[in-house]
Amino acid sequence: MLTMNKIVLLVTLYFCINSVLCQRKDIHHMMYETFKNAAMCFRTLNGTNQVGCSTSQSGSTGVVHFVNNESDVHWLLEESKAGPYVAVVPPTMFLRDVMLSLKDSPNVGGVLLAINGTGDRPAHMSPDDTCPNRFSSLGGSCDDSNPWNPVGSGFLQVDWTVPLFVVKDSLVIQQIYECFEKFNLPLERQVERSLCSLQMTGHMYAAVDTPTCLRRNSLINSFNPLRYCDPMGDQNVISHLFSRHHFSAAPNNSVVLVSAQLDAAAMFDGLAPGAMTTVTGIVTLLTTAHLLSQLLPEYKETYTKNVVFTLMNGEVQDYIGSSRVVYDMQQGKFPSADLPTRLEHLDLVIDLHQLDATRKLYCHCLQSNTAQTTVELLVKSSKSFGVNVEGSCSPDKQLPPSSLHSFLKANASIPGIIVTNHAKKYTNMFYNGLLDDAENVGYQYANGSQIPDQSIQRSLTAVAQGLALSLAQMVDSSVTWPANLSVETTVAMVDELLHCYLEERQCQLFRNISGDSVGPLDGPLPLYVGVSQSPNLVTRMTLLALAQLTGRPTNMTQAQCASPSDPSKVDYHTFYWVGGDDPDTGVCMETDITLTTAISPAFLIENYNWTSGEFSSWTESVWPEMSLRMF
């Protein structure tokens, strides 16, 4: 039994231990300032290489040094004596020659990209290759002497030997600068005192390449439960204008496929805005599908063509989504095995990629009567909405990076058109970059007020109108534009869609169609494809937006919508509850939308040759945590 003395001793010991722990926490809090809104560059791998960033297991630490010009770089590389350092660089110094010199210097232990607002916005900052998807596009589609993305730094293809973090909070940047100014200046006396430093933590488990990582994954057991990497991928969103059962005996050349990519690249975790790179294509496709469903609301027995809208995921990672669509078509499984669409059913592929407020389009296509006829139809239809379309098809034409490459690699005779805002090279100076945001496309949320004529909202609306009319006339040549189809209503819809994708996931449209808040965070949804084990929220929101814009309201309850019991109501239709959990406001939409897998065929094929480059082989490393703290 415990004596009174023992009880007193135990109580005293408890309070002593608790006091020590509290003191340790207080000391830790006083020593370190943790920045929760920083993002780290992470590691990805393909069949032959690793790229991206990692820290050591214990983290990487360095003395803070601000690099604002070439003299700061020179001092850091040649004169500094208290290293290693963490170089804090503004976007104007986030340049290839500067960054590679920092990467290779023994004086540098990490780099922090500090984005302080619009004042330090550079003229260009694209981390992608000068020839994006260089090794997965058609051979000869990009000339290194005159590339599509001439300002590309290639940072996405670099295996960084130092960790890279980014901070976009001006208050955090000010804190770091004040610490630097207080403790690290003057520079020549740094060896004499304690210095303001940063610690970066973000150790990546995967290394070398994808096949090596997958072999390590295969060793997982109860004694070693650690997973090292996951295949990149998500889901494609597929929508048919008319139900597939109308085309159960579809002839060849009966499908017009309209596509846009659903993803953008992310050099830093959770940051993939993709405004011009991706969002303009998504919004134009959604608007086109909405308008076409009004121009052709019902199927007629005389129709011989169907239009299929596809939003492809993982396209910046060597065309994951489109290559999987093609593979499934070849296997007779797209979008399902019971009534498949095959490559021979394709009459035409139209890919929307990078649009803007100029109302000027360029059509890129190889020699084909079908493609050339479509270009001419698009020129005529678009002109009536104030959009100028240029371009012609030729057999030796170089095609810009696009989902179309996946189809042409499988069958070079498939007619296809890439609709873009550029002729010989990108006009997007921030392609796949952190600053490809609302400002890059000149977007300002109108929120019900008057929208200017020269706005991105009206430009994308006009592009969608011209494309929708062209598609409708491919199906039914007698279709004309109805006078009662309100332009202002469509422009307001485009305004809201752009707001949702570019600025705020908690926008009214997304909250309405989801019936709740859109995830736990605010701000735009990142468009990075991620890994197949973690479904991408932007895919779900895009599906629901498409269901609302093209679906047919039913009287089904939410329970019936989730599990429709009447087989006659299914018949290749799908049902989505849109508008909230409240039975008074929600509605079950009958649609022809489905999701298909967007994971590379490389992960399905037994004994796949990882060095072949036939399919995308990208995986993403697993990591335990990421953190940035100052002391």
Side-chain angles (χ1 to χ4, degrees):
M1 294 180 61
L2 292 175
T3 65
M4 181 59 67
N5 288 338
K6 287 181 179 180
I7 292 174
V8 171
L9 179 62
L10 289 173
V11 171
T12 303
L13 183 61
Y14 168 79
F15 281 108
C16 286
I17 292 173
N18 191 56
S19 176
V20 170
L21 290 175
C22 290
Q23 287 179 19
R24 287 185 62 188
K25 289 180 181 178
D26 287 342
I27 293 172
H28 184 276
H29 179 74
M30 288 187 292
M31 284 181 60
Y32 293 98
E33 178 73 28
T34 301
F35 303 121
K36 298 185 181 299
N37 52 358
M40 181 186 172
C41 162
F42 53 95
R43 177 172 290 163
T44 57
L45 311 96
N46 62 17
T48 57
N49 297 287
Q50 66 177 29
V51 298
C53 312
S54 179
T55 70
S56 65
Q57 285 185 303
S58 58
S60 301
T61 301
V63 175
V64 173
H65 183 69
F66 276 75
V67 176
N68 294 313
N69 50 52
E70 291 292 340
S71 63
D72 292 333
V73 176
H74 175 80
W75 183 90
L76 185 58
L77 300 181
E78 305 297 336
E79 300 178 25
S80 60
K81 294 180 173 60
Y85 289 81
V86 169
V88 182
V89 302
T92 51
M93 292 298 290
F94 199 63
L95 307 171
R96 184 173 177 84
D97 57 342
V98 172
M99 291 298 297
L100 293 184
S101 65
L102 296 177
K103 163 185 171 291
D104 296 332
S105 172
N107 295 343
V108 178
V111 177
L112 175 65
L113 173 60
I115 301 178
N116 205 12
T118 58
D120 59 353
R121 193 178 183 94
H124 57 80
M125 198 173 84
S126 170
D128 211 331
D129 193 358
T130 53
C131 294
N133 281 348
R134 176 187 295 269
F135 301 108
S136 51
S137 297
L138 289 170
S141 61
C142 186
D143 182 357
D144 277 314
S145 64
N146 188 26
W148 294 109
N149 186 32
V151 301
S153 64
F155 286 171
L156 290 173
Q157 290 77 40
V158 174
D159 180 19
W160 298 94
T161 52
V162 296
L164 275 62
F165 273 70
V166 63
V167 169
K168 301 178 71 176
D169 188 326
S170 59
L171 294 178
V172 170
I173 297 170
Q174 182 63 28
Q175 278 183 272
I176 296 173
Y177 183 77
E178 288 174 356
C179 182
F180 163 75
E181 193 175 40
K182 181 177 180 180
F183 295 103
N184 296 7
L185 296 179
L187 299 176
E188 60 271 12
R189 296 177 57 188
Q190 285 189 346
V191 294
E192 302 173 7
R193 61 187 187 275
S194 298
L195 301 172
C196 177
S197 301
L198 287 170
Q199 183 184 54
M200 298 173 164
T201 303
H203 178 64
M204 300 289 137
Y205 289 157
V208 185
D209 53 35
T210 287
T212 300
C213 187
L214 294 179
R215 282 196 297 272
R216 295 179 71 192
N217 276 355
S218 67
L219 301 177
I220 293 176
N221 53 51
S222 57
F223 299 103
N224 178 35
L226 184 65
R227 197 176 72 256
Y228 297 93
C229 66
D230 296 305
M232 294 176 67
D234 189 62
Q235 292 177 302
N236 296 322
V237 181
I238 314 296
S239 176
H240 291 71
L241 174 62
F242 304 121
S243 173
R244 286 186 290 148
H245 83 269
H246 294 304
F247 295 85
S248 57
N252 292 351
N253 311 115
S254 60
V255 172
V256 177
L257 189 145
V258 183
S259 65
Q261 70 182 50
L262 193 51
D263 66 306
M267 185 172 179
F268 299 92
D269 182 43
L271 299 177
M276 190 182 298
T277 304
T278 304
V279 171
T280 55
I282 295 174
V283 171
T284 302
L285 185 143
L286 293 176
T287 307
T288 302
H290 170 69
L291 294 173
L292 187 61
S293 68
Q294 296 179 73
L295 293 173
L296 297 173
E298 295 181 354
Y299 171 76
K300 297 179 180 180
E301 292 293 336
T302 55
Y303 292 167
T304 59
K305 292 190 188 303
N306 201 358
V307 179
V308 179
F309 292 96
T310 60
L311 288 145
M312 311 283 200
N313 231 326
E315 291 303 272
V316 300
Q317 306 290 342
D318 290 324
Y319 306 126
I320 292 175
S322 57
S323 66
R324 182 57 183 266
V325 167
V326 170
Y327 180 81
D328 287 348
M329 285 184 173
Q330 292 171 323
Q331 302 297 312
K333 297 179 179 179
F334 178 83
S336 60
D338 53 348
L339 192 57
T341 298
R342 302 178 185 273
L343 285 176
E344 54 266 29
H345 292 142
L346 296 178
D347 182 56
L348 177 70
V349 176
I350 301 175
D351 188 59
L352 305 174
H353 191 250
Q354 295 194 86
L355 306 171
D356 57 27
T358 61
R359 297 201 187 200
K360 179 176 285 189
L361 300 178
Y362 295 90
C363 292
H364 303 264
C365 51
L366 301 180
Q367 186 63 52
S368 160
N369 290 335
T370 300
Q372 185 60 51
T373 301
T374 303
V375 170
E376 293 168 1
L377 177 60
L378 191 57
V379 169
K380 180 181 177 182
S381 299
S382 300
K383 187 177 181 180
S384 60
F385 299 104
V387 177
N388 180 45
V389 178
E390 298 180 13
S392 60
C393 305
S394 62
D396 57 348
K397 189 177 184 67
Q398 290 182 327
L399 297 178
S402 156
S403 302
L404 178 60
H405 286 264
S406 294
F407 295 90
L408 295 179
K409 286 171 67 177
N411 183 348
S413 65
I414 294 175
I417 302 170
I418 304 169
V419 181
T420 73
N421 63 356
H422 58 85
K424 298 294 185 181
K425 60 184 179 181
Y426 290 174
T427 61
N428 185 2
M429 296 294 100
F430 303 96
Y431 181 77
N432 266 332
L434 281 173
L435 300 181
D436 186 14
D437 50 17
E439 183 178 346
N440 189 38
V441 294
Y443 172 71
Q444 291 185 331
Y445 184 36
N447 195 22
S449 60
Q450 181 64 30
I451 299 175
D453 289 339
Q454 303 304 315
S455 64
I456 184 74
Q457 295 96 312
R458 291 194 180 275
S459 177
L460 297 187
T461 297
V463 171
Q465 288 174 312
L467 179 57
L469 181 57
S470 298
L471 292 169
Q473 292 177 347
M474 291 180 205
V475 176
D476 184 343
S477 60
S478 67
V479 171
T480 58
W481 194 263
N484 62 349
L485 197 52
S486 170
V487 175
E488 294 306 315
T489 300
T490 307
V491 172
M493 180 188 75
V494 170
D495 181 50
E496 185 66 17
L497 284 169
L498 288 171
H499 174 58
C500 295
Y501 282 103
L502 295 179
E503 295 181 332
E504 185 51 69
R505 71 186 74 184
Q506 307 297 346
C507 64
Q508 191 64 47
L509 172 63
F510 278 3
R511 288 177 68 90
N512 284 350
I513 61 178
S514 66
D516 199 355
S517 60
V518 185
L521 304 175
D522 295 326
L525 287 167
L527 301 180
Y528 173 64
V529 64
V531 296
S532 54
Q533 284 81 352
S534 301
N536 199 332
L537 185 55
V538 74
T539 304
R540 179 66 180 175
M541 298 315 301
T542 301
L543 179 148
L544 292 176
L546 191 57
Q548 185 183 61
L549 295 175
T550 64
R552 299 166 293 277
T554 71
N555 293 322
M556 297 167 67
T557 65
Q558 190 169 6
Q560 293 170 334
C561 196
S563 301
S565 57
D566 185 351
S568 66
K569 288 184 178 179
V570 180
D571 203 13
Y572 297 104
H573 298 307
T574 49
F575 299 85
Y576 297 100
W577 186 260
V578 173
D581 294 328
D582 184 349
D584 295 328
T585 59
V587 60
C588 181
M589 302 295 284
E590 179 189 71
T591 79
D592 296 289
I593 304 170
T594 188
L595 294 171
T596 65
T597 301
I599 301 175
S600 170
F603 298 98
L604 303 177
I605 300 172
E606 188 175 357
N607 298 320
Y608 176 73
N609 180 5
W610 295 102
T611 64
S612 68
E614 182 180 2
F615 295 112
S616 174
S617 56
W618 288 101
T619 53
E620 179 192 284
S621 176
V622 174
W623 63 83
E625 64 173 344
M626 290 182 178
S627 68
L628 176 70
R629 60 183 185 174
M630 182 173 67
F631 61 95

